[in-house]
Amino acid sequence: QLQLVESGGGLVQPGGSLRLSCAASEFTLDYYNIGWFRQAPGKEREGVSCISGSDGTTYYADSVKGRFTISKDNTKNTVYLQMNSLKPEDTAIYYCAADPIGITTIQAMCVMLESDYWGQGTQVTVSS
């Protein structure tokens, strides 16, 4: 069964950095678009960044542009989210999700939050 496992979350001071990992099993990244999403306490889940499995095209939410970078390593079957210049408002549980290529665009994937497969999430806390 297709599985996604997030890791790399933790406590970091404002201005700091973290790198999240999303490890995929039972499927290969070449055939799936992968997205990072987050949900802060009392708020709705939102799309952060998504990456195409076919050509590596990326999408970023305006709130993270210039600070976060999504990438993937097909040899490790893992997608990363490098988060720099972190702010307290980035505090949330971060989830990764997967959709088969061709179901939707990566922008729609990030906006619609209708992905088929989800990980369990990893907590990111930005606080001094």
Side-chain angles (χ1 to χ4, degrees):
Q1 184 175 352
L2 188 152
Q3 288 189 332
L4 297 165
V5 179
E6 303 94 336
S7 62
L11 173 64
V12 63
Q13 292 185 344
S17 299
L18 281 175
R19 188 178 78 158
L20 305 183
S21 299
C22 173
S25 60
E26 306 303 325
F27 72 101
T28 57
L29 294 180
D30 288 347
Y31 304 108
Y32 286 80
N33 297 330
I34 304 294
W36 282 101
F37 303 81
R38 66 186 181 186
Q39 187 165 18
K43 294 187 177 181
E44 294 186 351
R45 192 172 296 190
E46 63 175 353
V48 175
S49 182
C50 293
I51 187 166
S52 168
S54 60
D55 61 9
T57 303
T58 58
Y59 169 88
Y60 294 95
D62 287 343
S63 59
V64 305
K65 279 182 181 176
R67 299 189 298 124
F68 291 10
T69 303
I70 191 170
S71 62
K72 64 184 182 123
D73 184 339
N74 287 346
T75 65
K76 297 183 179 180
N77 223 31
T78 299
V79 173
Y80 302 99
L81 185 68
Q82 178 66 43
M83 307 186 296
N84 299 328
S85 302
L86 282 162
K87 305 175 182 180
E89 51 263 43
D90 294 317
T91 295
I93 299 175
Y94 283 70
Y95 302 87
C96 62
D99 275 334
I101 290 173
I103 297 298
T104 186
T105 67
I106 55 168
Q107 181 172 350
M109 180 184 184
C110 262
V111 171
M112 301 301 293
L113 280 73
E114 295 176 344
S115 296
D116 293 336
Y117 306 100
W118 291 84
Q120 294 300 307
T122 185
Q123 176 71 48
V124 171
T125 303
V126 185
S127 174
S128 55

